[in-house]
Amino acid sequence: MAALLCGFLASNVAFSAEAFVIKDIRVNGLQRITAGAVFNALSIKVGDAFEDDRSGGVIRELFHMGFFSDVSVEQDNDVLIIRVKERPAITSIEMEGNDDIETEKLLEAFKDVGMAVGRVFNPLVLDKVKNELLQQYYNNGKYSAEVETTVTTLERNRVAVLISIVEGSAASIKKINIVGNKSFSDEEILDEFELTGPTLFSFYTNSDQYSKQKLSADLERINSFYQNRGYINFKVVSTQVTISPDKNGIYVTINLDEGKVHTVSEVKLAGELIVNPNRLIPFVIVQPGSVFSRKKATQTSENITTILGHEGHSFANVNMIPEIDDETSTVKVTFFVDPGKRVYVRRIIMEGNTKTRDEVLRREIRQMEAAPISTLSVEHSKSRLSRLGHFDEVDVETMPVPGTADQVDVKYTVKEKSSGNILAGAGFSQSQGLVLNASISQNNFLGTGKRMSASFNNSAVNTVYSLGYTNPYYTIDGVSRGYNISYRTTDADEANTSNYSTETFNAGVNFGFPLNESDKIGLGVDLEFTSLDLGYDPATVKQGYIDDGFTAAEAQALLGQTGNFALDNGESYTNLKVSAVWGTDTRNRAVFATRGGSKRLSGVITVPGSDIEFYKISYNQKQYFPITPHTTLYLNGDFGYGDSYGDAEKLPFFENYYAGGKGSVRGFTDNTLGPRDVFDDPTGGNVKIVGNAEFVFPVPFLADSNTVRLSTFIDAGNVYDDELDLGEIRYSVGVSAKWLSPFGPLSFSIAQPMNKGEGDEVQSFQFSFGSGI
């Protein structure tokens, strides 16, 4: 302002009273700014008549450029001389003390208001930046924050800017007062708040740290709380926020006007009802005679909008219009339907699939081209693409076609993930010891969506070699076909069960048949060769017992189930197995899910004529219930039953179910629950029942991590021989941690059995690394 005043004074002194015609314009004092930029900013030009009163306009135009700190105008005969002093350029901007806000983000914000390295320095802009920074800290409850700026003048008309910040500590809420509430207590209302006074855990949750944004959100929660309970005229009259003299304490007072409870007297549908009202009525959850609820009214509008979207009206609007009668405390609710035009899909566009063939994506799409758009089909198609496992990200965008009012293009954008893996690793499990594994897999072979794999796994319990191939679209209708071949050796003694080992070769083919969009059944046939090794000749051992004076019955008991089974069925078996499975999966992700669930019912039977005739039926169900944005209740149930038929007397012991340990009832040693033989070795059983309940919560400071989870749990279960006895169910409680580390999955648990029985083996601390999670 001082420079502008000086400019006016200079013009008044330097000009004669007579006008003159400008023959030339000279600009003196330019260093970085070009003369062309100055001339472009001026409204006068050579040949114009110049009078004394035009000097003020010239000065204003040049100051408006923002590049000059001083401007003056002079006359030399018929030459207009403009003298300027350029503002300095910013050569550096440094920040110190800003722990809460990243320097990079601040510098980007400074650039938007015109302060950046290389730009002209403007003290007014720096003052604006200082005030905005203080406001940011005030909004976050840091009222003792201080911001100081230092401008250092350098040679060649440059400056260095230093912004020093003392953030201070956030002011904590000492008390929140609610005034005017008659129907609900302070505690009921404050339970809806994110902000709180001092609590036992506020040091971690920061719920007592004041924030203007949090308070606004809490006021909206109060409004929803009351309006969902019939108080349609509820309002927040005023809010007072008082800061203590030391700026470290805050007192919040909220004044309410509750109004009266209103009930719904009538519900109507109006507007253009292109859908039969009988289809819409079941989705109208606001009912006459009920207490008015804003939440139910909003949900009804969304329900109707969704139905219209399924019919091709993706831009439909459904507005709830209340007619309030304060005298009778009732409200008439009208849902006004504006369906808009029916919209058709012109094209479906795929982007980002650099490796995967277009047909692999398009066969998952349930929205057809040239057909009315269905929001359900569009979103369901996105889910199907995500479940393929070929992509890290899947996004969908609906774009109006230019020049039309009833056509859109639907674009699916994917980000390819590595579909091939060559893995080699090692792990350790208390039940299996050192685990070595290696695999080569290609889940999207040559972009066709077909899966091929070869793997090796070795531990103290199992050694497995396997090959697999699956074509998920063997037919155009989505019927899958797969082949598998494997070789497995098992040392049962290392798994805490009976002393025997098996050697199994398996080859099979399987088919999958989709029943609908979420359910699928599978059928498989496997030819299996099993060789049993007891480490002794059961006939010789039995005869030895008899020679030692035992009766035949006593010798049979001492021989145990393994020896007796080998005597009755031999030690080598060829079985043809037929299997069937039904499954559905609605989890939001396969690992560490937070909502949805899965169900799986499976059965396997050896066909008549096999060496051992038996069958097994298993059912598993998992369900995830989100409690809060970062906590989940996980429930799991597992049931299995097996038996023999035909000439076989009972289920083969090496097909028995086992319980105890990781993935079962934690706190008990792996595979040790249930029946035991005369040598006190666990034998498993043909009936299994296991249940788990876990409350999953975030790791402190890692609330959004998808690779780590903590939980408290209750486990229950056991295995039985023929007869189910719920009184023998074993229970345990404990805590668990799981981590998908870069080196492989790691899990551990600490559990305490609640009803340890005689002979049960307890193992409170259990862990595994690199062997599944």
Side-chain angles (χ1 to χ4, degrees):
M1 200 63 190
L4 184 61
L5 180 59
C6 289
F8 280 125
L9 291 175
S11 66
N12 290 336
V13 173
F15 286 99
S16 64
E18 297 181 0
F20 68 96
V21 176
I22 302 173
K23 291 185 177 180
D24 191 16
I25 300 176
R26 297 175 187 172
V27 182
N28 296 334
L30 294 177
Q31 295 179 356
R32 297 182 310 276
I33 309 303
T34 64
V38 174
F39 292 143
N40 286 335
L42 292 173
S43 60
I44 62 171
K45 59 184 181 294
V46 173
D48 288 351
F50 191 89
E51 297 179 352
D52 187 15
D53 58 0
R54 297 194 65 180
S55 61
V58 171
I59 293 172
R60 282 192 296 271
E61 289 170 348
L62 295 184
F63 268 115
H64 186 70
M65 294 178 70
F67 297 150
F68 308 113
S69 61
D70 192 13
V71 179
S72 64
V73 181
E74 301 175 4
Q75 176 189 356
D76 185 3
N77 294 322
D78 295 333
V79 178
L80 184 66
I81 299 175
I82 302 174
R83 300 185 186 279
V84 297
K85 182 179 179 181
E86 290 188 1
R87 294 185 189 275
I90 301 174
T91 188
S92 66
I93 302 175
E94 294 185 4
M95 308 285 303
E96 62 180 24
N98 53 307
D99 295 330
D100 286 358
I101 310 175
E102 296 179 9
T103 298
E104 292 75 13
K105 292 183 178 179
L106 286 175
L107 293 179
E108 283 296 320
F110 295 167
K111 188 181 298 183
D112 293 338
V113 296
M115 193 177 81
V117 173
R119 293 191 180 182
V120 173
F121 173 71
N122 188 334
L124 296 178
V125 173
L126 182 59
D127 287 342
K128 182 179 179 181
V129 165
K130 177 180 177 179
N131 293 331
E132 286 295 328
L133 275 174
L134 284 172
Q135 191 60 47
Q136 284 294 321
Y137 283 108
Y138 293 164
N139 288 343
N140 290 326
K142 294 196 171 184
Y143 293 99
S144 60
E146 298 178 2
V147 178
E148 296 294 335
T149 60
T150 304
V151 180
T152 304
T153 303
L154 305 175
E155 58 183 5
R156 300 195 301 277
N157 199 25
R158 298 176 302 153
V159 295
V161 178
L162 172 65
I163 301 176
S164 302
I165 300 173
V166 179
E167 295 181 333
S169 58
S172 60
I173 298 174
K174 301 303 181 183
K175 186 172 179 59
I176 301 177
N177 297 305
I178 308 295
V179 179
N181 53 311
K182 301 175 182 178
S183 302
F184 302 98
S185 66
D186 289 2
E187 291 74 16
E188 289 177 293
I189 295 174
L190 291 176
D191 281 345
E192 301 296 315
F193 275 49
E194 181 180 353
L195 292 175
T196 68
T199 65
L200 181 63
F201 298 103
S202 57
F203 75 94
Y204 167 62
T205 62
N206 294 326
S207 61
D208 64 340
Q209 291 189 4
Y210 174 78
S211 165
K212 185 177 181 181
Q213 291 84 352
K214 288 182 180 179
L215 179 59
S216 297
D218 285 340
L219 295 179
E220 184 59 36
R221 290 189 184 95
I222 295 179
N223 185 67
S224 297
F225 176 83
Y226 272 93
Q227 294 225 353
N228 292 339
R229 290 161 175 78
Y231 295 85
I232 196 170
N233 291 324
F234 169 83
K235 61 183 177 180
V236 177
V237 178
S238 64
T239 304
Q240 293 90 35
V241 179
T242 307
I243 306 172
S244 63
D246 60 3
K247 297 185 178 181
N248 289 324
I250 290 181
Y251 298 86
V252 181
T253 301
I254 302 172
N255 294 284
L256 311 179
D257 181 2
E258 292 183 334
K260 295 181 179 179
V261 176
H262 285 61
T263 57
V264 179
S265 61
E266 185 180 355
V267 180
K268 295 190 298 182
L269 294 175
E272 188 178 351
L273 302 178
I274 60 169
V275 176
N276 189 328
N278 293 330
R279 284 187 56 194
L280 301 178
I281 289 174
F283 297 94
V284 178
I285 58 178
V286 178
Q287 299 296 325
S290 64
V291 174
F292 175 81
S293 169
R294 179 76 63 176
K295 181 179 180 180
K296 290 183 177 180
T298 302
Q299 185 61 55
T300 297
S301 295
E302 292 177 356
N303 291 344
I304 298 174
T305 301
T306 300
I307 294 172
L308 295 174
H310 298 344
E311 298 295 325
H313 298 268
S314 60
F315 302 124
N317 287 313
V318 179
N319 297 314
M320 188 274 293
I321 303 174
E323 294 181 38
I324 302 172
D325 187 340
D326 289 328
E327 292 185 1
T328 60
S329 296
T330 59
V331 55
K332 296 180 180 179
V333 179
T334 301
F335 293 97
F336 188 84
V337 179
D338 177 14
K341 288 189 176 182
R342 198 175 199 190
V343 179
Y344 294 82
V345 176
R346 184 184 68 165
R347 286 190 302 164
I348 295 176
I349 303 168
M350 304 295 176
E351 284 191 2
N353 53 316
T354 55
K355 294 184 298 183
T356 306
R357 298 178 184 178
D358 239 34
E359 64 176 294
V360 176
L361 280 73
R362 291 189 178 275
R363 66 194 183 192
E364 303 297 330
I365 302 300
R366 295 300 179 258
Q367 172 66 55
M368 298 293 103
E369 293 180 340
I373 190 170
S374 167
T375 52
L376 177 65
S377 297
V378 170
E379 287 301 317
H380 188 57
S381 300
K382 177 185 175 182
S383 298
R384 290 183 64 88
L385 290 174
S386 299
R387 288 199 296 264
L388 284 176
H390 305 332
F391 311 112
D392 284 326
E393 297 176 9
V394 179
D395 294 312
V396 61
E397 181 182 4
T398 302
M399 306 174 296
V401 176
T404 69
D406 61 351
Q407 293 186 43
V408 295
D409 289 337
V410 179
K411 182 171 73 172
Y412 291 92
T413 304
V414 300
K415 181 181 178 182
E416 296 267 13
K417 69 186 298 185
S418 176
S419 58
N421 293 295
I422 300 177
L423 302 175
F428 185 82
S429 170
Q430 286 171 303
S431 61
Q432 300 191 42
L434 180 65
V435 179
L436 301 176
N437 56 74
S439 67
I440 301 175
S441 64
Q442 176 57 258
N443 291 328
N444 188 12
F445 185 67
L446 298 179
T448 63
K450 298 175 182 177
R451 297 187 290 272
M452 302 183 69
S453 65
S455 64
F456 159 74
N457 184 291
N458 181 60
S459 69
V461 176
N462 293 308
T463 298
V464 181
Y465 302 88
S466 65
L467 296 171
Y469 164 84
T470 301
N471 180 356
Y473 274 82
Y474 172 61
T475 72
I476 195 173
D477 298 320
V479 176
S480 65
R481 182 182 65 179
Y483 302 100
N484 60 276
I485 184 170
S486 66
Y487 171 79
R488 173 193 295 265
T489 63
T490 301
D491 187 344
D493 189 43
E494 294 290 342
N496 304 315
T497 61
S498 300
N499 185 13
Y500 69 89
S501 62
T502 60
E503 187 175 2
T504 304
F505 174 81
N506 179 287
V509 60
N510 59 80
F511 294 88
F513 303 90
L515 297 178
N516 51 45
E517 291 297 334
S518 59
D519 294 10
K520 197 170 188 177
I521 61 171
L523 299 175
V525 178
D526 292 83
L527 183 61
E528 188 173 271
F529 303 93
T530 302
S531 177
L532 176 65
D533 183 7
L534 302 178
Y536 61 90
D537 179 14
T540 302
V541 172
K542 182 177 181 180
Q543 186 59 48
Y545 286 140
I546 294 175
D547 292 342
D548 289 340
F550 291 96
T551 65
E554 291 171 336
Q556 183 175 355
L558 290 171
L559 202 57
Q561 69 168 351
T562 56
N564 286 303
F565 186 87
L567 279 177
D568 295 337
N569 301 279
E571 297 184 24
S572 181
Y573 325 103
T574 300
N575 296 317
L576 183 63
K577 292 182 175 180
V578 176
S579 60
V581 60
W582 165 82
T584 183
D585 193 341
T586 60
R587 293 175 295 174
N588 60 330
R589 52 179 177 260
V591 179
F592 290 173
T594 58
R595 65 177 181 273
S598 66
K599 301 175 185 177
R600 179 182 175 88
L601 175 65
S602 62
V604 60
I605 185 171
T606 58
V607 302
S610 299
D611 287 344
I612 308 174
E613 296 173 333
F614 68 91
Y615 63 91
K616 296 174 72 174
I617 300 173
S618 300
Y619 178 75
N620 175 263
Q621 181 170 349
K622 295 178 171 62
Q623 204 68 41
Y624 299 83
F625 302 95
I627 306 300
T628 70
H630 300 302
T631 59
T632 303
L633 175 64
Y634 162 59
L635 302 178
N636 174 66
D638 205 0
F639 174 79
Y641 176 79
D643 204 352
S644 62
Y645 74 97
D647 294 334
E649 294 186 359
K650 64 184 307 182
L651 183 72
F653 65 88
F654 49 82
E655 293 284 351
N656 276 351
Y657 297 103
Y658 291 89
K662 176 179 172 252
S664 180
V665 187
R666 286 160 286 192
F668 295 93
T669 304
D670 285 7
N671 305 321
T672 59
L673 291 180
R676 293 172 176 263
D677 60 18
V678 292
F679 301 107
D680 202 33
D681 288 330
T683 61
N686 68 323
V687 181
K688 178 181 75 169
I689 181 170
V690 171
N692 314 96
E694 296 192 32
F695 179 73
V696 183
F697 55 91
V699 180
F701 313 112
L702 289 175
D704 294 326
S705 175
N706 290 324
T707 61
V708 185
R709 66 189 269 175
L710 300 177
S711 66
T712 59
F713 62 81
I714 299 176
D715 291 343
N718 212 331
V719 293
Y720 305 90
D721 198 1
D722 291 329
E723 295 184 3
L724 178 65
D725 183 0
L726 296 180
E728 290 297 316
I729 291 285
R730 297 291 185 262
Y731 302 91
S732 67
V733 296
V735 295
S736 171
K738 298 178 181 180
W739 177 34
L740 294 175
S741 78
F743 311 103
L746 172 67
S747 68
F748 71 87
S749 63
I750 300 175
Q752 178 61 47
M754 299 173 63
N755 60 339
K756 175 181 176 295
E758 184 178 354
D760 289 346
E761 299 179 29
V762 173
Q763 189 177 58
S764 296
F765 178 72
Q766 296 173 318
F767 72 94
S768 67
F769 170 66
S771 60
I773 199 162

